[in-house]
Amino acid sequence: MGRPDACHQPLRDKPAGFQISRIDPATRRAVPFARNAEPGPASLQGAMGQGIERPFDLKFHSGAMYIVDYGVARVNPARIKEESPVRVPPKTGVVWKITRTAQ
């Protein structure tokens, strides 16, 4: 499952939840919309706090998309039966603002 301190969903063999996708209604396929330059959460690329980590909500306002990113969440599968096997380093969450650029 990779590094023991990695941001993993304990039931998967790969990190999950590090991009925003849109659904194409014609094909019903998910198409990546916003993601890091390299696949995976920013913290696994040595760029903690410099890219998408764990987005969980978004809203549109005044022509912009705001993405709420939970930040780094390290799950220790060996502690899964504990009250909270998740460790969250402080100040890793962020709200991203995405706006249209001139073409």
Side-chain angles (χ1 to χ4, degrees):
M1 287 190 43
R3 296 185 346 214
D5 65 342
C7 174
H8 280 62
Q9 202 282 358
L11 303 178
R12 293 178 172 228
D13 61 350
K14 298 179 184 177
F18 50 83
Q19 69 182 20
I20 301 296
S21 296
R22 67 177 179 82
I23 306 298
D24 182 333
T27 64
R28 296 182 171 181
R29 296 184 66 202
V31 179
F33 175 78
R35 62 182 176 187
N36 297 320
E38 297 294 323
S43 63
L44 293 183
Q45 301 172 34
M48 190 179 306
Q50 299 175 36
I52 297 173
E53 193 68 38
R54 196 68 145 157
F56 69 93
D57 197 9
L58 65 85
K59 301 286 183 205
F60 293 93
H61 181 69
S62 299
M65 175 193 297
Y66 293 86
I67 300 169
V68 181
D69 191 325
Y70 190 79
V72 176
R74 295 183 175 126
V75 177
N76 184 340
R79 303 175 94 172
I80 204 74
K81 292 184 180 184
E82 292 183 18
E83 183 176 324
S84 178
V86 179
R87 301 292 180 257
V88 181
K91 299 181 181 181
T92 61
V94 67
V95 175
W96 298 100
K97 179 180 179 182
I98 296 178
T99 57
R100 185 180 302 255
T101 58
Q103 297 180 353

